[in-house]
Amino acid sequence: IGQCFFSYHSHYSYTGLMIKILLLEDEIPARKKLKRFLAELDTPIEIVAELDTVAMGITFLKSNAVDVIFSDIELLDGNSFE
């Protein structure tokens, strides 16, 4: 996993509803590291799916709503931005 775009500070907290997260990552070690990072946040989250291909992500998102997607760019079956 590359550099994070924000740094964690304990005074940040979210008091709303559970944040639904989709992990789209084909490398198991990177996925585990991201899950450990997310577990440390003082924010109510739910990882609703862990997928490893663009096709699986598209299929999932057609029938499921998420608030945040953490995605690798290059996945097993292509580029996740296409």
Side-chain angles (χ1 to χ4, degrees), residues 1 11 36-37 40 45 52-53 60 67-68 78 82:
I1 296 176
H11 64 274
R36 282 193 306 270
F37 172 76
E40 293 177 8
I45 65 164
D52 58 8
T53 67
F60 179 83
D67 300 306
V68 179
E82 294 179 350

Side-chain angles (χ1 to χ4, degrees), residues 20-24 61 66-71:
K20 294 180 180 180
I21 297 175
L22 166 62
L23 298 183
L24 195 53
L61 290 170
V66 298
D67 300 306
V68 179
I69 300 171
F70 287 95
S71 179

Side-chain angles (χ1 to χ4, degrees), residues 62-75:
K62 284 182 180 179
S63 59
N64 297 278
V66 298
D67 300 306
V68 179
I69 300 171
F70 287 95
S71 179
D72 192 357
I73 296 171
E74 291 297 326
L75 296 167

Side-chain angles (χ1 to χ4, degrees), residues 2-8 10-11 13 21 25-27 29 32 34 42 44 51 53-56 58 69 75 79-80:
Q3 293 292 329
C4 185
F5 292 106
F6 64 93
S7 60
Y8 172 70
S10 61
H11 64 274
S13 65
I21 297 175
E25 172 62 69
D26 57 349
E27 297 178 21
K32 287 181 180 180
L34 181 55
D42 185 25
L51 308 172
T53 67
V54 174
M56 290 173 69
I58 291 169
I69 300 171
L75 296 167
N79 186 305
S80 63

